[in-house]
Amino acid sequence: MSLAAALGLPALRGATLAEVDAAAALQHRTDRKYLVPLDRACDLVARLADSHRVLDLAGRRTTSYLSTYFDTEQLGAWRAHVQGRRRRWKVRTRLYAEDGLCRVEVKTKDGRGATVKHALTVPATAYGELGPRAAEFVDQVLRASGIPVTVHELAPAAEVRYVRAALADLDHGTRVTLDGLLTCHHDDRTAALDSGHVLVETKGGVRPAPADRLLLTLGGRPVSLSKYVVGRSLLTPGLPDNDIRRLARTHFSTEAHPAPLYERTSAA
């Protein structure tokens, strides 16, 4: 069964990408994350059906994401998150596989803890690398955000893959994403979220949205979870990440085998 079918997405009203971006682009936002059993995620979707629409791309209601994260040799981005620094940062290239769309993204935290995302569209063939134009963009954003890191210090550190559904409340400008089939790859090892759970993220203002209140009634509790940080922690022996390992131990498994190659020409 597809993730869309498992979550009951065909029953929701659809919205175009333009409608979602116009109402809930949310480049500056507060994110809350929840690890939720699949059946509760399906219940959440059903309860949000009256107020939220699902992103519909010509009949397709999920998208396959591939994200290559860049970090310093000392894993500065990873350590900033684990140590709970107020000014955390991430640099990645993200490929929307079915659409052949690629973006370079820089995410930072402002002084109040809100997420600020900056994005640059690049050709799909540039996925997984930081060419001259992307490097200039990354340097500008990091410098403006007060992050003492330059693009010359960065190298690919891990790749994260998952399938995402996006819901949006067009009247109130908030979004909910549900990520399944989540895997992280580094060298020849893979960490995978168990198929019975999805990672739910609410994206909105400082105050919790109706989706957050629904998640609480369904037994969900916010967790501090970065896909890159958890994946790299599980795949790299010796990292001081006991709190992350305790969170991930019951939901993730690790295996030693190379990730299958993504065929870029298959995106349409």
Side-chain angles (χ1 to χ4, degrees):
M1 182 184 297
S2 69
L3 182 65
L7 291 174
L9 299 181
L12 269 66
R13 294 172 295 164
T16 67
L17 180 59
E19 289 174 321
V20 172
D21 282 347
L26 298 175
Q27 299 300 89
H28 191 288
R29 70 204 188 204
T30 298
D31 296 344
R32 297 176 179 85
K33 302 180 182 181
Y34 307 79
L35 271 177
V36 179
L38 185 58
D39 59 345
R40 295 185 192 174
C42 185
D43 194 3
L44 172 70
V45 169
R47 296 189 187 200
L48 292 175
D50 290 339
S51 57
H52 288 63
R53 298 190 183 189
V54 60
L55 176 61
D56 187 297
L57 301 166
R60 175 168 48 84
R61 297 197 162 190
T62 60
T63 298
S64 301
Y65 282 55
L66 290 82
S67 298
T68 293
Y69 286 82
F70 295 80
D71 210 336
T72 65
E73 185 177 0
Q74 295 76 29
L75 298 180
W78 181 92
R79 295 182 188 280
H81 184 98
V82 170
Q83 294 168 3
R85 298 178 192 170
R86 290 180 65 85
R87 292 197 174 274
R88 301 195 289 271
W89 58 277
K90 291 194 186 87
V91 174
R92 67 191 179 204
T93 57
R94 169 166 285 178
L95 182 67
Y96 302 80
E98 292 88 351
D99 305 302
L101 172 67
C102 185
R103 304 201 308 180
V104 179
E105 298 182 346
V106 183
K107 294 177 68 176
T108 62
K109 293 281 188 180
D110 67 12
R112 296 175 298 175
T115 299
V116 184
K117 185 166 73 172
H118 305 263
L120 172 72
T121 300
V122 296
T125 53
Y127 170 71
E129 59 189 42
L130 296 175
R133 182 165 167 253
E136 181 181 6
F137 167 76
V138 170
D139 267 340
Q140 287 177 347
V141 174
L142 292 177
R143 184 167 55 249
S145 302
I147 306 298
V149 174
T150 68
V151 73
H152 298 293
E153 302 174 68
L154 302 179
E159 183 183 59
V160 175
R161 303 179 180 187
Y162 54 94
V163 177
R164 167 168 288 184
L167 312 182
D169 183 337
L170 303 185
D171 293 329
H172 297 93
T174 60
R175 284 195 290 131
V176 179
T177 60
L178 303 101
D179 299 338
L181 305 177
L182 170 63
T183 60
C184 183
H185 311 271
H186 174 62
D187 292 336
D188 62 347
R189 293 178 60 79
T190 295
L193 175 66
D194 76 77
S195 59
H197 281 76
V198 296
L199 178 61
V200 179
E201 298 184 40
T202 63
K203 306 167 191 291
V206 175
R207 293 184 177 182
D212 293 289
R213 293 190 286 273
L214 278 173
L215 282 160
L216 290 175
T217 66
L218 292 172
R221 294 294 180 270
V223 294
S224 177
L225 192 155
S226 158
K227 300 179 187 73
Y228 162 61
V229 170
V230 168
R232 185 66 197 244
S233 299
L234 292 174
L235 298 176
T236 306
L239 289 180
D241 57 348
N242 291 335
D243 289 341
I244 292 173
R245 287 188 187 279
R246 279 194 291 269
L247 173 66
R249 185 162 35 201
T250 58
H251 300 300
F252 286 79
S253 60
T254 58
E255 298 179 10
H257 59 73
L261 294 176
Y262 169 72
E263 296 292 339
R264 294 179 182 172
T265 57
S266 66

